[in-house]
Amino acid sequence: MTKGFSFKCQAYCCDTHARAGLFSTPHGLVETPRFMPVGTLANVKTVTPDQLWATGAQMVLANTYHLHLQPGEEIVARAGGLHRFMAWEGPILTDSGGFQVFSLSEMRQISDEGVTFRSPRDGQMIHLTPERSIAIQNALGADVIMAFDECPPYPASRDSVIESTDRTFRWLKRCIAVHQRSDQALFGIVQGGIYPDLRLDAARMLADLDLLGYAIGGVSVGEPAELIEAIVRATTPALPPEKPRYLMGVGTYREMVQAIAAGVDLFDCVIPTRLARHANALVGGDRWNMRNAKFREDFAPLDATCPCYTCQNFSRAYLSHLLRAQELLGYTLLSIHNITELVRFTQSIRRAILNGSFKAEFGQWLGTR
């Protein structure tokens, strides 16, 4: 029996499937809808845990595959688990390593048993199975762990997507069979490529297993945004309404609003820190290259409405200077702001749902392209 988890919907939108909820975990509450920053190697790049907490982040991600390679789950377990190892007191979610089945396609072989990778670090061959993925995640100790899945590429033939979706379901049942810890919630992942009927079939099959949460995977793998939106609209209503729903790898304004309108609760993406490392700031959903000459003598804050440490203390000119000089502080300050931007955006959507004004406030993102 899994302990310490619950999900409660507090309010629903009258015009869409959007909902505001509370996802309770052993390490605290997550107020949904919510953006979750990505900390692949047990750190959100360039940001300390205190700085991360100040952004409004409540739940962060780490990656099973990468932590298995470095430093190894045994070391993390001996350190007291991921929470203590990375000094993060809030909830943590670990991906299963399944996305690497997709992203490392040139270095892996897939069979019904599992996936064999050639490590990009040292060339070592690594065999990852559903059982091994769960064992690693049990050792890491995150609050939410993901089932091992196969993410089909885009484009992919219907026959190949059927094969990978069926394999993902078989792998899920193996994950359920070996999951050992009652303080970790196992989420299943809906695959099915761009085919709505396959997505619906997969969602219904996963729903019958009565898991603690469900994710929509296999999007943002090269398909047009219109297809992502269609996939999410077709899939989400088929997932149990009393369970949290997580859209993997999505973090733009429009994609999140569209998904929230379909009933999604949680999101993650590397966008805020990746953009920061390329000197890009997120402001009102737009991307600003802070190395542009127009910012050299602009002494206004990055965003006067933003409460983050960066905007409260530094000017655009100072940020531009740091980033032109490739000073590490510049990347930290932009990461703090960019994470705050996306967290604030989902917080504002949550408030609108609670106030009954979601469609009125965010309808611009729901129209046709």
Side-chain angles (χ1 to χ4, degrees):
M1 179 68 179
T2 306
K3 301 176 182 178
F5 294 93
S6 65
F7 181 73
K8 175 185 178 182
C9 284
Q10 299 171 287
Y12 297 88
C13 172
C14 296
D15 304 300
T16 70
H17 295 287
R19 74 251 191 101
L22 290 175
F23 178 37
S24 178
T25 79
H27 285 88
L29 285 172
V30 183
E31 298 171 331
T32 65
R34 202 76 172 195
F35 175 81
M36 304 180 292
V38 176
T40 300
L41 281 165
N43 74 296
V44 176
K45 293 186 185 300
T46 76
V47 176
T48 70
D50 281 349
Q51 291 168 332
L52 184 60
W53 191 258
T55 67
Q58 292 180 326
M59 188 172 193
V60 301
L61 273 72
N63 184 269
T64 298
Y65 170 77
H66 290 289
L67 288 172
H68 173 62
L69 295 183
Q70 175 67 37
E73 64 274 12
E74 298 88 356
I75 289 176
V76 175
R78 289 203 299 273
L82 266 180
H83 293 87
R84 185 170 298 177
F85 189 57
M86 63 187 287
W88 177 255
E89 296 181 359
I92 300 175
L93 181 152
T94 44
D95 193 4
S96 66
F99 184 73
Q100 280 65 47
V101 176
F102 163 77
S103 64
L104 300 178
S105 59
E106 297 180 358
M107 297 185 289
R108 53 88 168 137
Q109 293 181 326
I110 303 175
S111 69
D112 283 343
E113 177 61 23
V115 183
T116 301
F117 295 91
R118 184 174 297 279
S119 168
R121 291 178 176 270
D122 57 12
Q124 176 186 355
M125 298 304 294
I126 297 170
H127 191 55
L128 195 58
T129 65
E131 292 80 6
R132 186 69 183 125
S133 173
I134 295 299
I136 295 169
Q137 292 185 84
N138 285 164
L140 293 173
D143 300 88
V144 174
I145 66 175
M146 304 304 298
F148 193 55
D149 65 323
E150 182 184 348
C151 175
Y154 174 82
S157 70
R158 182 179 175 88
D159 286 346
S160 66
V161 172
I162 290 173
E163 182 180 5
S164 68
T165 304
D166 289 346
R167 181 179 287 131
T168 289
F169 185 67
R170 294 194 298 273
W171 283 355
L172 170 59
K173 290 192 286 187
R174 288 164 58 186
C175 289
I176 294 170
V178 298
H179 178 36
Q180 296 293 319
R181 292 184 56 163
S182 63
D183 59 344
Q184 292 181 305
L186 175 64
F187 280 27
I189 303 175
V190 178
Q191 293 290 352
I194 62 170
Y195 303 98
D197 60 322
L198 299 184
R199 289 276 180 176
L200 282 173
D201 287 346
R204 289 164 181 156
M205 291 171 69
L206 265 64
D208 287 342
L209 296 176
D210 194 28
L211 301 169
L212 285 176
Y214 296 87
I216 300 171
V219 299
S220 290
V221 294
E223 73 275 40
E226 295 89 342
L227 277 179
I228 296 176
E229 293 167 7
I231 290 166
V232 173
R233 285 196 304 270
T235 306
T236 310
L239 296 173
E242 71 279 9
K243 305 293 179 66
R245 300 157 169 169
Y246 161 36
L247 180 58
M248 306 177 77
V250 164
T252 67
Y253 271 29
R254 182 183 177 89
E255 288 173 342
M256 288 195 293
V257 172
Q258 291 275 347
I260 288 167
V264 171
D265 307 298
L266 298 168
F267 305 86
D268 80 282
C269 193
V270 298
I271 281 178
T273 51
R274 179 173 291 172
L275 287 178
R277 296 195 301 277
H278 291 86
N280 285 300
L282 285 169
V283 181
D286 295 328
R287 301 179 184 185
W288 294 1
N289 185 343
M290 298 308 297
R291 293 194 182 108
N292 284 348
K294 66 180 181 179
F295 295 118
R296 293 184 67 177
E297 298 183 46
D298 188 341
F299 302 108
L302 191 56
D303 180 352
T305 70
C306 179
C308 81
Y309 173 76
T310 302
C311 292
Q312 292 299 307
N313 291 280
F314 304 101
S315 68
R316 298 170 184 177
Y318 183 62
L319 293 170
S320 182
H321 153 66
L322 291 177
L323 294 160
R324 285 168 170 271
Q326 297 184 337
E327 287 288 336
L328 297 181
L329 178 59
Y331 306 124
T332 294
L333 293 177
L334 270 196
S335 293
I336 289 170
H337 168 75
N338 287 349
I339 294 168
T340 304
E341 170 89 2
L342 291 182
V343 171
R344 284 179 69 214
F345 184 65
T346 51
Q347 284 178 306
S348 67
I349 294 175
R350 173 181 165 80
R351 285 193 296 270
I353 296 170
L354 290 170
N355 294 334
S357 58
F358 171 65
K359 189 172 182 181
E361 292 188 43
F362 296 93
Q364 60 176 315
W365 306 100
L366 298 175
T368 57
R369 290 177 177 272

